[in-house]
């Protein structure tokens, strides 16, 4: 696929390069903030599953404004390494580990965060049930970390897959936050089951002790909170966000958007560092990949195994 054809395919991918964002997902957080005013008064923010770092970029650009930028602390966590960003401390770690929560708390010098965001996604397998299940587990891991680091009254935003068991997740989140909304930014493709839960006003149950166990499996909360049947089923509001006149992420736009300005290809703002596919690319470029056996060689091999 040529360079420009990729640009043609996705308008937010192109806009991200034009505006210097590392990934198109930056627009999702920007559009969520337009709707929910998530950044208002935020001094300490955590970006879980942050690489390559476009959400951290948004936090860095939006929170570190003018003279107060010294007071702002942003921590970004990811399994993968990430190129540095101004005012962002990186932790290369796993969000399912208590040690990661402890490291975040150390960085905030014992103070709690005002906002936790998580755009975490596992490597999708294409098997929808499996993908939805793993995504839900990642969200719950993010919720566990959040319960260690977020201040009461703080906000939590996380990617969610709106699969068939999503109401179970909503009811888990409703245990910890007084308001939970499912939001779909305009930059998130309609064709994708991805959406974002915007959880406002952190207010854990009295006596709740933060831990890293999976709340889905923790039946001690079932009696009071986990009422999923009939009228007790938790239904959260759904909100499409982002200006209706904003670009539609499912549409294809012409390369030359502005009739005055000629289209110019821009390279990605931050190419991946040490991506897992790097070795495969090296092997392919140097013709070092293992060769498929020719059909006759396969037949010979099979015959010799059968001792014929
Ligand atoms: N928000 C990012 C941005 O705007 O650049 C994009 C995040 S990307 C869609 C999902 C990230 O989740 C990947 O970088 C992946 O390494 C990370 N991830 C998945 N599982 C994780 C885990 N257990 N701990 C930490 N990061 C994880």
């Amino acid at each position: 696929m040529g360079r420009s054809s990729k640009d043609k395919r996705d308008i937010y991918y192109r806009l991200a390069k034009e505006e210097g964002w590392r990934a198109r997902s930056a627009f999702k957080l920007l559009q969520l903030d337009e709707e929910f005013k998530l950044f208002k008064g935020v001094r300490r923010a955590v970006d879980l599953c942050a690489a390559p770092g476009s959400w951290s970029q948004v936090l860095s650009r939006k929170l570190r404004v003018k003279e107060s930028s010294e007071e702002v602390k942003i921590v970004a966590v990811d399994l993968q390494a990430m190129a540095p960003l101004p005012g962002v401390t990186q932790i290369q770690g796993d969000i399912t580990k208590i040690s990661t929560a402890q490291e975040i708390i150390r960085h905030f010098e014992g103070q709690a965060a005002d906002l936790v965001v998580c755009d975490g996604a596992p490597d999708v397998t294409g098997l929808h049930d499996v993908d939805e299940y793993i995504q839900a587990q990642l969200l719950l891991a993010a919720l566990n970390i959040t319960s260690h680091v977020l201040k009461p009254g703080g906000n939590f935003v996380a990617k969610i897959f709106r699969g068939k068991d999503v109401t179970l997740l909503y009811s888990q989140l409703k245990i910890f936050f007084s308001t939970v909304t499912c939001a779909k930014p305009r930059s998130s493709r309609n064709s994708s089951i991805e959406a974002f839960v915007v959880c406002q006003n952190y207010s854990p149950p009295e006596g709740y002790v933060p831990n890293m166990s999976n709340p889905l499996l923790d039946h001690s909360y079932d009696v009071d909170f986990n009422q999923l049947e009939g009228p007790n089923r938790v239904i959260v509001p759904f909100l499409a966000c982002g200006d209706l006149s904003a670009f539609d992420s499912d549409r294809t736009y012409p390369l030359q958007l502005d009739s005055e300005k000629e289209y110019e290809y821009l390279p990605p703002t931050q190419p991946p560092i040490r991506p897992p596919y790097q070795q495969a690319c090296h092997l392919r470029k140097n013709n070092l990949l293992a060769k498929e056996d020719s059909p006759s060689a396969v037949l010979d091999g099979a015959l010799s195994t059968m001792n014929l």
Side-chain angles (χ1 to χ4, degrees), residues 23 25 49-55 77-80 93-96 119-121 138 159:
S25 11
C49 301
S54 78
W55 278 29
V77 182
D78 202 286
L79 289 171
Q80 296 177 48
D94 186 340
I95 67 159
T96 64
D119 187 28
L138 203 57
K159 195 206 291 281

Side-chain angles (χ1 to χ4, degrees), residues 7-307:
D7 275 1
K8 223 186 288 181
R9 222 176 43 195
D10 190 286
I11 188 70
Y12 284 100
Y13 171 84
R14 272 166 65 188
L15 291 177
K17 290 196 295 181
E18 278 173 24
E19 294 181 20
W21 302 111
R22 290 181 179 184
R24 66 188 294 291
S25 11
F27 294 103
K28 299 176 192 169
L29 187 56
L30 288 166
Q31 289 170 349
L32 288 167
D33 175 56
E34 262 171 45
E35 190 64 46
F36 294 93
K37 308 287 171 260
L38 296 167
F39 303 149
K40 200 165 164 235
V42 171
R43 292 270 173 280
R44 283 174 296 279
V46 182
D47 182 7
L48 299 174
C49 301
S54 78
W55 278 29
S56 291
Q57 268 184 303
V58 171
L59 293 172
S60 170
R61 286 193 201 175
K62 293 284 174 183
L63 303 184
R64 297 172 73 252
V65 275
K66 296 183 223 133
E67 68 283 355
S68 62
S69 71
E70 292 303 298
E71 293 169 30
V72 172
K73 290 189 173 190
I74 302 163
V75 177
V77 182
D78 202 286
L79 289 171
Q80 296 177 48
M82 205 171 102
L85 280 170
V88 179
T89 302
Q90 286 174 44
I91 298 174
Q92 195 171 353
D94 186 340
I95 67 159
T96 64
K97 297 268 163 49
I98 179 89
S99 54
T100 306
Q102 287 159 347
E103 222 175 306
I104 297 170
I105 293 166
R106 257 200 306 282
H107 180 70
F108 289 151
E109 292 162 352
Q111 290 186 289
D114 306 298
L115 174 69
V116 179
V117 296
C118 175
D119 187 28
D123 291 336
V124 283
T125 63
L127 301 168
H128 298 313
D129 284 350
V130 175
D131 291 339
E132 277 165 38
Y133 177 79
I134 302 174
Q135 176 65 29
Q137 295 302 307
L138 203 57
L139 187 146
L140 292 169
L143 175 63
N144 282 338
I145 282 236
T146 300
S147 67
H148 284 81
V149 304
L150 188 62
K151 70 171 190 192
N155 297 334
F156 169 60
V157 176
K159 195 206 291 281
I160 195 166
F161 282 177
R162 283 179 303 146
K164 61 181 185 322
D165 293 327
V166 74
T167 51
L168 182 59
L169 280 174
Y170 292 152
S171 54
Q172 294 286 337
L173 292 165
K174 284 287 281 182
I175 294 172
F176 294 93
F177 295 89
S178 57
T179 310
V180 176
T181 310
C182 178
K184 180 86 173 167
R186 198 131 163 85
S187 49
S188 171
R189 294 185 186 93
N190 276 328
S191 47
S192 152
I193 58 165
E194 167 195 88
F196 294 86
V197 273
V198 179
C199 307
Q200 292 165 295
N201 189 21
Y202 179 56
S203 35
E206 220 181 298
Y208 178 76
V209 181
N211 63 80
M212 296 300 277
S213 77
N214 183 338
L216 259 189
L217 306 174
D218 184 354
H219 297 291
S220 58
Y221 289 99
D222 280 0
V223 183
D224 296 327
F225 302 107
N226 210 359
Q227 301 161 329
L228 298 170
E229 300 298 322
N232 290 324
R233 191 172 149 234
V234 172
I235 297 173
V236 306
F238 179 84
L239 208 73
C241 52
D243 193 336
L244 275 185
S245 60
F247 287 108
D248 177 346
S249 46
D250 285 291
R251 247 188 76 184
T252 302
Y253 290 86
L255 274 178
Q256 193 169 345
L257 281 177
D258 182 349
S259 54
E260 310 277 290
K261 226 170 91 192
E262 215 167 281
Y263 164 77
E264 184 197 351
Y265 172 80
L266 296 169
T269 305
Q270 173 61 54
I273 45 175
R274 291 195 301 282
Y277 53 80
Q278 203 166 31
Q279 194 189 358
C281 290
H282 167 80
L283 293 175
R284 199 186 54 201
K285 265 190 202 140
N286 295 289
N287 206 19
L288 297 170
L289 281 177
K291 299 263 175 333
E292 249 181 54
D293 287 336
S294 67
S296 61
V298 173
L299 187 61
D300 287 349
L303 291 177
S304 68
T305 338
M306 290 162 77
N307 257 343

